[in-house]
Amino acid sequence: MINNQPIGVLDSGVGGLTVLKQLIKRLPNEKFVFIGDQKRMPYGSKSREEVIQFTRQMIKFLLSKNVKAIIFACNTATAEALDVLKSEVDVPLIGVIKSGSEDAVEATKKNVGVIATQGTVLTGMYEKEILKLNSDLKVYSKAAPKFVPMIESGNIDSLEVSRVLNYFDDKKIETLVLGCTHYPIILSEIDNYFNGKIKIIDPSFKTTEKLAEVLDKKDIHGNSKQEISFFTTGDSNNFDKFIFQILNIKIPQSRSVNIEK
């Protein structure tokens, strides 16, 4: 692999941009290719077979761009598809669930909460990973199936946010894992609900460090000017709005593509 090959980043929609935000801060000499499957989001309500199929198509697209590693910036894809697909490709695949679990264990003494898509919650992956690291912790998971469509539409419903989070009112959680990469987009609403009294875990930070470790180990760090290419299976104009909102990149950047081949 050549050092200046790009790094691929995939997501069901725009949430993965929150992971990309950390990646571009941490790795200023890397090139990135981002693909968001907006046309078929949300993944959390899809069957496991569909998630695997859709993720495989995104991987195929990224490999056509000659990427040297792929970040699964989608918790549902990580939970349902990563272990299945890692044997199909020769480049490293890095997911967000293990990273979020490690951060949660480091920050929690007794009780940890997780909010995620229905698909991610049903797999129980966060609970498994957290308890693998510390079996004494108590993990409370809550699905938030309306969050992703709400965030993608740009219409944030504070009542829906409260309806989901009040599940934790009597759980005495010390930390809350944002088990979907869309959720940092409404971080302020979530933090306000808890009055800033719990630690909120965004897995993107440790995921970025795990990628840096892989680049170190394989000696494939980039050494060129940072470049980012954006692709969506949905409306590129809509996608550009999120690029500006999350990454503060003002010039329209994304291209609409069909990956269903």
Side-chain angles (χ1 to χ4, degrees):
M1 289 186 287
I2 301 172
N3 292 57
N4 290 327
Q5 289 175 231
I7 294 161
V9 183
L10 63 82
D11 183 38
S12 62
V14 302
L17 293 173
T18 64
V19 179
L20 182 63
K21 183 177 182 178
Q22 303 307 322
L23 291 169
I24 61 180
K25 282 183 183 177
R26 175 68 172 79
L27 302 166
N29 299 115
E30 298 291 348
K31 299 175 182 178
F32 296 94
V33 179
F34 185 98
I35 175 71
D37 193 10
Q38 280 188 301
K39 181 180 177 182
R40 298 180 292 192
M41 73 87 200
Y43 277 18
S45 59
K46 301 292 191 295
S47 69
R48 182 170 187 263
E49 291 72 22
E50 287 177 307
V51 173
I52 292 171
Q53 176 191 351
F54 298 166
T55 306
R56 183 181 282 119
Q57 289 170 342
M58 286 194 286
I59 288 175
K60 182 180 178 182
F61 175 81
L62 291 173
L63 291 175
S64 75
K65 301 300 181 183
N66 202 30
V67 297
K68 62 185 178 184
I70 297 175
I71 300 294
F72 277 43
C74 174
N75 284 267
T76 305
T78 300
E80 301 278 22
L82 189 146
D83 286 343
V84 174
L85 299 178
K86 65 170 54 174
S87 63
E88 299 181 9
V89 298
D90 294 328
V91 303
L93 304 182
I94 301 168
V96 287
I97 291 179
K98 191 168 289 187
S99 300
S101 299
E102 289 176 0
D103 271 352
V105 170
E106 289 173 9
T108 309
K109 293 181 179 179
K110 291 183 179 180
N111 301 319
V112 56
V114 178
I115 52 172
T117 66
Q118 187 75 28
T120 300
V121 169
L122 287 175
T123 66
M125 285 292 290
Y126 266 106
E127 185 170 5
K128 291 173 189 174
E129 289 295 332
I130 289 170
L131 295 181
K132 190 188 300 181
L133 296 167
N134 186 344
S135 60
D136 292 330
L137 295 180
K138 182 68 176 178
V139 183
Y140 297 96
S141 299
K142 177 65 175 175
K146 294 183 180 180
F147 277 18
V148 170
M150 177 181 73
I151 291 166
E152 291 267 350
S153 72
N155 298 314
I156 308 306
D157 183 349
S158 297
L159 289 177
E160 177 61 19
V161 174
S162 296
R163 189 192 69 78
V164 170
L165 298 181
N166 67 22
Y167 166 76
F168 300 104
D169 285 352
D170 62 349
K171 304 298 189 294
K172 297 181 180 180
I173 60 171
E174 303 146 73
T175 57
L176 179 71
V177 180
L178 303 183
C180 173
T181 55
H182 281 75
Y183 298 171
I185 297 173
I186 57 169
L187 175 62
S188 60
E189 285 85 356
I190 295 171
D191 192 44
N192 287 341
Y193 181 86
F194 293 102
N195 296 314
K197 292 181 179 179
I198 66 168
K199 183 173 178 59
I200 297 176
I201 304 294
D202 179 351
S204 65
F205 293 92
K206 184 153 278 191
T207 301
T208 298
E209 292 307 314
K210 285 189 176 297
L211 172 62
E213 290 170 10
V214 169
L215 299 179
D216 281 339
K217 185 176 180 180
K218 294 182 175 292
D219 194 23
I220 53 172
H221 272 286
N223 53 20
S224 64
K225 180 181 178 182
Q226 189 175 83
E227 296 176 10
I228 313 169
S229 300
F230 298 95
F231 298 90
T232 176
T233 60
D235 178 3
S236 60
N237 290 324
N238 173 267
F239 202 73
D240 283 340
K241 293 177 183 177
F242 283 97
I243 293 172
F244 172 66
Q245 176 187 340
I246 298 169
L247 302 178
N248 198 31
I249 297 176
K250 299 180 182 180
I251 302 172
Q253 296 284 332
S254 65
R255 289 167 52 192
S256 186
V257 293
N258 177 16
I259 63 172
E260 299 175 50
K261 300 173 183 177

